[in-house]
Amino acid sequence: MSKVVRRDFKVTTIDKVNIAVREVRMEDGPRKTAQKTPILLMHGTRVPGVSEYDLGVENGSIAEALALAGHDSFIPDGRGFGKSDRPAAMSEPPGASKPLARCLELTRDVDATVEAMRNACGVEKVALLGWGVGATLILMYASLWPEKVSHLVLYNPLYGGGVDHPRYRGAGLADPENPLRFNTAKFGGYNFNTLDHLLEKWDSSIPIENKDEWRDPAVATAFVQALSDGDPTTTSRDPPTFRSPNGMLEDSFYIGIGEKLVHANQVRCKVLIVRGELDYFSRPEDVAELQRDLVNAQEVHAFEPKNATHYVLLDRPERGRDATLARITQFLS
């Protein structure tokens, strides 16, 4: 009986940064032969890839679910995240540098991973899935290298469809002297994140009092542990915190006030936009604007799982996870 296997390795970018990648696939899956499209899974603003896509508990691994459907999955950590090289500035105080690792720079990390995928799987084109600002990143990549991309899955994307993102009101992301600029003086190059920071956002997005009825507590525990494991310095601070570059946060600010950091009319492949009805990050106007701008895409589909959160792919199967995974695998096929 075949089983899912994992391989952790590193690739080197054009500017000599070592990027950690996890591959998840079927043990007896075909290699360098006809197969289903391999897919790259790109993380979002604050967290390394494994914490979003490959938790070692039941219903905690999106990569495993895709592998079982026949799609070899590759999960990179962008520079500054997880087990990838960190900029030297992340060993200095945050205020000593400007926001590190913005999306356009991270396209180098995606490209190094894509090249490894093409070589390992014997394909010309691959699929990309990006979560949150990770969706902005893969839009950029598909615009730069259309010949390498067959499918894009934009999962809860932010695109510049509105000028006043409600999540950022009172968050201090804007420069108090100029509200159209990111508050670099406050945030600096990188951030220290408490382990419960994202769990609190997840809890607040679940519309019932008993969060365990919506999200398996084992998944939540594994998520927090993966955040801790993603930074070797986490437990050296009290309370424990993990570091993340602030480049994607700066990008999200500009998109949130209506700036399009990439224009979707440059994308040529097939595109699926997924936005949970209850998502606090992606807005209906982002989806609408994407649909208007994807004029050169081969196909454009939108899927809005009803009563589903920003974390729908990690929620319980009956809370939208199964339906969303089924729609993604149908699209990839």
Side-chain angles (χ1 to χ4, degrees), residues 269-289:
C269 60
K270 299 177 181 179
V271 180
L272 172 65
I273 307 165
V274 177
R275 179 190 177 275
E277 183 183 27
L278 304 179
D279 186 28
Y280 62 81
F281 188 73
S282 180
R283 303 160 292 183
E285 51 266 40
D286 289 310
V287 176
E289 193 80 359

Side-chain angles (χ1 to χ4, degrees), residues 87-279:
M90 290 184 71
S91 297
E92 302 296 330
S97 57
K98 292 187 176 182
L100 300 164
R102 297 190 66 182
C103 283
L104 196 57
E105 184 180 7
L106 292 172
T107 60
R108 301 173 184 180
D109 309 345
V110 173
D111 191 53
T113 308
V114 167
E115 285 303 303
M117 295 169 67
R118 285 168 22 122
N119 290 331
C121 301
V123 297
E124 291 297 317
K125 296 186 176 185
V126 304
L128 309 174
L129 182 152
W131 187 336
V133 182
T136 304
L137 171 52
I138 65 169
L139 268 174
M140 288 179 175
Y141 183 81
S143 301
L144 290 166
W145 284 285
E147 70 275 13
K148 300 181 185 181
V149 182
S150 62
H151 302 72
L152 287 184
V153 180
L154 307 177
Y155 173 46
N156 295 326
L158 199 59
Y159 182 63
V163 298
D164 182 21
H165 199 301
R167 177 172 174 249
Y168 297 145
R169 293 175 193 152
L173 267 63
D175 184 333
E177 302 298 323
N178 186 344
L180 298 181
R181 290 185 180 177
F182 182 69
N183 195 345
T184 300
K186 175 182 177 180
F187 290 95
Y190 66 98
N191 200 49
F192 292 104
N193 308 282
T194 60
L195 294 177
D196 60 358
H197 174 75
L198 293 172
L199 204 60
E200 290 173 354
K201 292 183 179 298
W202 197 350
D203 284 347
S204 65
S205 70
I206 294 174
I208 60 175
E209 184 173 351
N210 186 347
K211 311 306 178 184
D212 291 349
E213 291 182 6
W214 195 285
R215 175 199 61 216
D216 187 336
V219 171
T221 299
F223 178 70
V224 171
Q225 186 61 52
L227 295 179
S228 178
D229 294 344
D231 184 347
T233 72
T234 295
T235 56
S236 68
R237 291 176 287 275
D238 186 18
T241 57
F242 66 96
R243 296 167 295 164
S244 62
N246 276 333
M248 294 178 97
L249 182 65
E250 180 174 16
D251 285 340
S252 74
F253 166 75
Y254 285 113
I255 304 168
I257 62 171
E259 301 286 346
K260 293 178 182 176
L261 301 188
V262 58
H263 201 287
N265 66 13
Q266 299 175 92
V267 171
R268 304 178 196 171
C269 60
K270 299 177 181 179
V271 180
L272 172 65
I273 307 165
V274 177
R275 179 190 177 275
E277 183 183 27
L278 304 179
D279 186 28

Side-chain angles (χ1 to χ4, degrees), residues 5-78:
V5 295
R6 289 162 171 81
R7 175 173 71 107
D8 291 325
F9 63 100
K10 289 195 174 180
V11 296
T12 303
T13 67
I14 193 172
D15 56 335
K16 309 304 181 185
V17 178
N18 295 310
I19 299 300
V21 182
R22 172 167 293 181
E23 178 186 10
V24 182
R25 68 180 182 93
M26 298 302 295
E27 183 178 37
D28 59 351
R31 305 307 297 262
K32 292 186 179 289
T33 59
Q35 62 177 44
K36 291 186 178 180
T37 307
I39 185 167
L40 181 151
L41 306 174
M42 192 66 221
H43 62 75
T45 306
R46 294 181 186 268
V47 300
V50 168
S51 63
E52 288 190 329
Y53 295 117
D54 193 33
L55 301 176
V57 295
E58 186 177 7
N59 296 318
S61 176
I62 299 156
E64 182 169 310
L66 291 169
L68 288 168
H71 301 278
D72 288 9
S73 298
F74 293 77
I75 310 167
D77 288 336

